[in-house]
C-alpha cells in the first residue's frame, strides 16, 4: 500500500473487513447487490483495481454471484438479478481489460429486455392515472436504478433516453386520488411497503433511495454528462421546487422530512417537527448532494452553495449525528462519508470545499471508531464499508474511485 498514513490506514481497514467475510456465512441470494455475493464481488473488484489484492478473490465472488440461474423478470432492478450482475461485470473492466465479456453481453441483453418491459408497465400505469409503488421508479428497486447503471456503464444505450423520458413524465404529470391531484410519484403503500387502508392511502417519499430525490439525482447526472431528453430541465426544476416547498428551517440548518402523507400534501405542513437521522438513503445528506448536482447541471451557483452549506451544517449538528449508530452505507457513517466526499470534490468555492472536507474528516473518524458493519453485504454491511474506506479521501490525499461503484448511489 502507498499513500498518506490516513489512506494506508483506511485501505488496511477495508481489507480486514473483506478478509473477514466468509462465503459460507452469506445466506442472501448471490445475485443480490445489496446483501449477497454480487455486492461483495464489487468490493473485491475495487480492491483489485486499486492494486491492493490480486484478482483471484474477485473472480471467486463473481462466480458465487452468478452460480444460480439469472433472474430478469418484471420485478427485477439494480439491486438484484441481471442488472446487479451487469453492474458488477461492467465495473470489472474499468481498467480497460475486457474481463467477463461474454457474460456481460448476456446480462446487457437481459437488462435491455427487462427495461423495455418495465417502461411499458410504468407508462401504462401513468396512462391509467393510478398510484404507483417504489418498485416502479425508485433507485433501489425501480427504473431510476436501471437508469443509473445505463448512464454509468452504457451511456449510448438506446434505452437510457426512454428511462429519462419516463422520469420526466413521472415528475411533471399528476394523478387524481380522492378528488385531489397528487404527484405522479405518489405511492399507494407506507414507507415500509406495507398496504394502507382508506381512500387516501400512501405517501410521497423525498429520499434518494426510495423517493423523488433519486430521479432528481439521475436527471442531474445525465445532464452533467450531456445526455438529455425533451422536458429534462423542466423536470429537474419541478423536483427542486417540490423540495423547496418542503425544506424546513432549523436552529442549526435546513432539513427535509422523510416523506409526506396525503393530508400533509394538502395542508402544506409536515408533521415531522425536527430532523430525523441523517443518511444517504433518507434525509439531508442524500437530498443535499442531489441538489448540489442539479445546481451544477443547471448552472445555479446560489443553489449549489446553499446545498453545500446545508450538508455541512447537518454534519456539524451533534443532535443529528448522534442518531447515526452504524457503519453501513445505506443509513450509516459509510454512506455519510461517501456522499460528503463527492460533495467536497464538487464544492463551489475553496472555502466550502474545506468546510466539507473538515466534516468528512470527522465522519471518517466515526467510521473507524465503529468498525465493522452488520453482516457482510454492501448496503448495510462490511462490503459497503470496505468500499467506502477504499474510495474516500484519506486525510489530505484523495483516493480515486476506480470501479465507479458509487454510481449505484447516484452521488457520482
Amino acid at each position: 500500500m502507498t499513500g498518506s498514513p490516513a489512506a494506508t490506514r483506511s485501505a488496511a481497514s477495508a481489507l480486514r473487513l473483506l478478509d473477514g467475510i466468509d462465503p459460507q456465512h452469506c445466506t442472501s441470494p448471490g445475485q443480490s447487490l445489496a446483501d449477497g455475493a454480487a455486492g461483495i464481488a464489487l468490493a473485491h473488484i475495487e480492491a483489485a483495481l486499486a492494486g491492493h489484492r490480486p484478482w483471484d478473490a474477485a473472480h471467486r465472488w463473481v462466480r458465487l454471484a452468478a452460480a444460480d440461474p439469472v433472474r430478469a423478470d418484471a420485478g427485477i432492478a439494480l439491486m438484484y438479478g441481471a442488472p446487479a450482475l451487469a453492474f458488477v461485470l461492467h465495473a470489472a473492466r474499468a481498467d480497460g481489460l475486457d474481463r467477463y465479456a461474454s457474460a456481460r453481453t448476456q446480462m446487457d441483453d437481459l437488462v435491455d429486455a427487462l427495461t423495455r418491459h418495465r417502461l411499458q408497465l410504468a407508462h401504462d400505469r401513468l396512462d391509467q392515472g393510478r398510484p404507483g409503488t417504489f418498485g416502479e421508479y425508485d433507485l433501489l428497486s425501480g427504473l431510476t436504478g436501471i437508469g443509473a447503471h445505463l448512464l454509468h456503464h452504457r451511456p449510448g444505450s438506446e434505452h437510457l433516453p426512454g428511462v429519462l423520458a419516463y422520469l420526466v413524465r413521472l415528475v411533471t404529470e399528476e394523478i387524481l386520488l380522492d378528488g385531489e391531484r397528487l404527484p405522479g410519484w405518489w405511492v399507494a403503500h407506507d414507507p415500509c411497503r406495507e398496504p394502507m387502508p382508506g381512500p387516501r392511502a400512501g405517501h410521497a417519499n423525498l429520499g434518494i433511495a426510495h423517493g423523488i430525490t433519486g430521479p432528481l439525482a439521475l436527471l442531474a447526472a445525465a445532464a452533467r454528462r450531456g445526455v438529455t431528453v425533451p422536458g429534462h430541465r423542466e423536470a429537474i426544476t419541478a423536483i427542486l421546487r417540490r423540495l423547496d416547498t418542503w425544506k424546513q428551517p432549523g436552529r442549526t440548518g435546513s432539513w427535509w422530512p422523510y416523506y409526506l402523507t396525503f393530508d400533509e400534501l394538502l395542508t402544506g405542513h409536515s408533521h415531522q417537527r425536527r430532523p430525523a437521522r441523517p443518511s444517504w438513503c433518507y434525509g439531508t445528506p442524500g437530498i443535499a448532494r442531489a441538489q448540489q448536482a442539479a445546481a451544477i447541471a443547471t448552472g445555479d451557483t446560489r443553489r449549489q452553495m446553499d446545498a453545500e452549506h446545508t450538508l455541512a451544517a447537518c454534519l456539524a449538528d451533534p443532535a443529528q449525528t448522534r442518531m447515526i449508530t452504524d457503519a453501513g452505507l445505506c443509513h450509516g457513517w459509510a454512506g455519510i462519508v461517501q456522499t460528503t466526499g463527492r460533495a467536497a470534490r464538487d464544492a463551489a468555492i475553496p472555502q466550502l470545499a474545506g468546510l466539507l472536507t473538515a466534516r468528512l474528516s470527522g465522519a471518517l473518524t466515526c467510521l473507524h471508531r465503529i468498525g465493522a458493519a452488520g453482516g457482510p453485504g454492501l448496503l448495510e454491511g462490511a462490503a459497503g464499508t470496505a468500499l467506502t474506506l477504499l474510495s474516500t479521501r484519506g486525510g489530505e490525499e484523495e483516493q480515486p474511485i476506480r470501479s465507479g461503484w458509487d454510481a449505484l448511489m447516484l452521488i457520482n
Side-chain angles (χ1 to χ4, degrees), residues 82-323:
L85 293 176
F87 191 98
V88 170
L89 298 181
H90 276 276
R93 64 184 298 210
D95 60 354
L97 295 180
D98 200 13
R99 302 176 182 91
Y100 311 116
S102 177
R104 189 180 63 251
T105 298
Q106 293 177 38
M107 294 305 104
D108 287 347
D109 290 343
L110 289 173
V111 170
D112 286 346
L114 172 65
T115 306
R116 283 194 298 269
H117 182 54
R118 293 203 58 163
L119 282 171
Q120 184 61 59
L121 293 176
H123 283 296
D124 288 348
R125 194 272 302 176
L126 286 170
D127 289 343
Q128 296 163 17
R130 294 184 288 104
T133 65
F134 285 164
E136 179 185 293
Y137 79 87
D138 78 3
L139 173 54
L140 297 187
S141 55
L143 281 159
T144 296
I146 293 174
H149 161 63
L150 294 177
L151 177 65
H152 186 71
H153 291 128
R154 299 171 57 202
S157 166
E158 64 178 295
H159 300 294
L160 178 57
V163 173
L164 298 175
Y166 153 72
L167 293 179
V168 169
R169 188 179 179 195
L170 181 78
V171 303
T172 57
E173 294 188 8
E174 295 179 318
I175 62 171
L176 197 64
L177 184 65
D178 198 28
E180 300 289 346
R181 293 194 173 277
L182 302 179
W185 41 278
W186 176 269
V187 296
H189 51 74
D190 72 11
C192 296
R193 303 174 188 261
E194 295 297 325
M196 297 174 65
R200 298 186 171 190
H203 75 288
N205 199 291
L206 299 183
I208 194 171
H210 293 302
I212 196 55
T213 298
L216 173 65
L218 179 58
L219 290 166
R224 294 180 69 184
R225 291 158 176 79
V227 181
T228 60
V229 296
H232 200 116
R233 188 182 182 101
E234 291 80 1
I236 290 175
T237 300
I239 301 172
L240 290 173
R241 286 175 178 165
R242 182 76 68 170
L243 291 173
D244 287 347
T245 297
W246 293 100
K247 189 174 184 179
Q248 307 294 308
R251 180 179 56 82
T252 57
S254 302
W255 56 276
W256 288 268
Y258 275 9
Y259 61 89
L260 307 168
T261 65
F262 191 102
D263 289 339
E264 286 173 324
L265 277 177
L266 290 188
T267 63
H269 297 287
S270 171
H271 296 154
Q272 187 176 323
R273 297 305 179 195
R274 59 183 62 87
R277 177 185 59 193
S279 64
W280 162 75
C281 60
Y282 275 104
T284 298
I287 295 176
R289 170 54 181 166
Q291 290 227 357
Q292 180 197 35
I296 294 170
T298 58
D300 188 343
T301 304
R302 176 177 291 184
R303 181 181 290 277
Q304 180 183 350
M305 294 173 64
D306 181 66
E308 291 160 5
H309 276 298
T310 298
L311 175 57
C314 167
L315 299 183
D317 181 6
Q320 294 188 63
T321 57
R322 276 196 298 267
M323 291 186 276

Side-chain angles (χ1 to χ4, degrees), residues 316-341:
D317 181 6
Q320 294 188 63
T321 57
R322 276 196 298 267
M323 291 186 276
I324 310 169
T325 58
D326 69 84
L329 197 64
C330 188
H331 45 253
W333 279 112
I336 297 289
V337 166
Q338 195 67 20
T339 302
T340 307

